[in-house]
Amino acid sequence: MKLLEISHLKKSFGDLEVLRDISMDVSEGEVIAILGPSGSGKSTFLRCATMLETMDAGTMKYVGESAVTDNNGTAVYADKGTLRKLKNTFGLVFQNFNLFPHYNVMKNITDAPISIQKRNKSEVIQEAKELLAKVGLEGKEDYYPCQLSGGQQQRVAIARALAMNPKMIFFDEPTSALDPEITAGVLKVLRQLAEEKMTMIIVTHEISFARKVADRIIFMDKGVIVEEGRPEDVIDHPKNERTRAFLQKMA
């Protein structure tokens, strides 16, 4: 089943064309890693896919339902009710965690499922405890973000995204703000989610992690998808010169 279908996505900021023509499908259970140099449009793509930015042109569907249609080259968004429902199908984990500093860990995780999804409070709290154990943070329920390391905060952010029971999760450079030693704990959680067949789109610069975990690698540069395929093809035997140059620089 296709969870996400994007066709001919374009996005500009003023005169700067950031995404020129991006088309991408994501199937249930698939892990996609997006690689590319800074300024290639990776984060803007993620922000458009999660509706934090508006597309200028193109179409987008979640679980077969249209979020964005095309009207003579202009993107037209569905009504608010439809968008609200479709936003519930995915989660988003930012590079800078974006936890609420005045909420403890438990409230950071449970607030949205209780207040937005109107789910049973005791069930949500029980689920949150299980998620904290899953990401290796058992017993940290009453801690505040400022009392946690960056890696711990990022794992809380992952638990928070999972608490909404999304069909897929987007990750925007989830380890770029972390020290290499701390990164390992976050990558371990992502590997575990991949093994459990959680659908994920991960913008990352961790090449070896992408090779191990991703079903498909997408390499972006200058607002277009330059190359895509299996990790062993794109990383080990890139066809495009731009992909080769980038990977050599990262090696």
Side-chain angles (χ1 to χ4, degrees):
M1 180 191 179
K2 293 265 192 292
L3 291 187
L4 174 62
E5 300 163 79
I6 290 178
S7 295
H8 306 299
L9 161 54
K10 294 180 181 175
K11 176 67 181 175
S12 297
F13 294 104
D15 295 334
L16 180 65
E17 199 177 23
V18 180
L19 299 174
R20 297 174 186 203
D21 187 0
I22 301 281
S23 295
M24 183 190 301
D25 288 355
V26 183
S27 297
E28 194 168 14
E30 196 174 17
V31 178
I32 295 175
I34 303 179
L35 308 176
S38 292
S40 58
K42 307 184 299 296
S43 289
T44 301
F45 166 74
L46 228 60
R47 290 179 69 80
C48 287
T50 56
M51 300 184 239
L52 292 173
E53 292 282 359
T54 51
M55 298 160 51
D56 295 335
T59 64
M60 182 162 68
K61 287 182 182 177
Y62 273 100
V63 289
E65 192 167 349
S66 283
V68 185
T69 52
D70 187 79
N71 181 16
N72 295 324
T74 301
V76 178
Y77 280 75
D79 61 86
K80 280 181 182 172
T82 300
L83 294 181
R84 197 179 305 118
K85 181 180 74 174
L86 296 181
K87 283 176 182 177
N88 266 328
T89 62
F90 61 81
L92 176 59
V93 176
F94 301 87
Q95 56 182 292
N96 293 321
F97 331 131
N98 283 27
L99 299 175
F100 294 111
H102 55 296
Y103 286 177
N104 66 15
V105 165
M106 181 55 79
K107 190 161 169 61
N108 261 291
I109 294 171
T110 59
D111 189 57
I114 292 167
S115 61
I116 295 171
Q117 294 182 331
K118 310 294 184 198
R119 282 160 54 200
N120 179 282
K121 187 175 180 177
S122 57
E123 277 176 27
V124 171
I125 287 171
Q126 183 54 40
E127 238 176 72
K129 286 179 180 172
E130 288 164 14
L131 286 170
L132 281 171
K134 180 177 190 159
V135 299
L137 292 173
E138 219 165 352
K140 301 284 188 191
E141 291 89 344
D142 296 327
Y143 281 60
Y144 284 81
C146 64
Q147 297 172 297
L148 302 174
S149 71
Q152 289 172 327
Q153 288 185 60
Q154 190 60 293
R155 283 182 278 151
V156 172
I158 294 169
R160 179 177 63 179
L162 289 167
M164 299 290 281
N165 292 328
K167 293 183 183 296
M168 64 187 293
I169 301 184
F170 294 87
F171 294 87
D172 188 9
E173 297 273 16
T175 59
S176 68
L178 305 176
D179 295 338
E181 286 170 33
I182 295 172
T183 293
V186 174
L187 295 183
K188 183 182 173 188
V189 172
L190 296 186
R191 273 196 297 273
Q192 189 183 338
L193 292 175
E195 283 164 15
E196 293 168 5
K197 295 292 174 200
M198 168 56 82
T199 311
M200 297 186 282
I201 297 181
I202 307 169
V203 170
T204 184
H205 57 276
E206 302 276 350
I207 308 292
S208 62
F209 167 75
R211 183 195 269 113
K212 283 180 201 149
V213 172
D215 299 302
R216 186 157 40 117
I217 300 277
I218 288 174
F219 178 74
M220 283 179 65
D221 194 19
K222 295 178 180 166
V224 296
I225 293 174
V226 174
E227 192 164 349
E228 70 177 295
R230 297 180 310 166
E232 55 268 38
D233 296 331
V234 175
I235 293 174
D236 299 329
H237 306 288
K239 294 185 177 75
N240 189 283
E241 182 51 48
R242 277 191 276 177
T243 317
R244 271 199 296 275
F246 172 78
L247 291 168
Q248 280 166 0
K249 222 180 280 179
M250 297 295 284

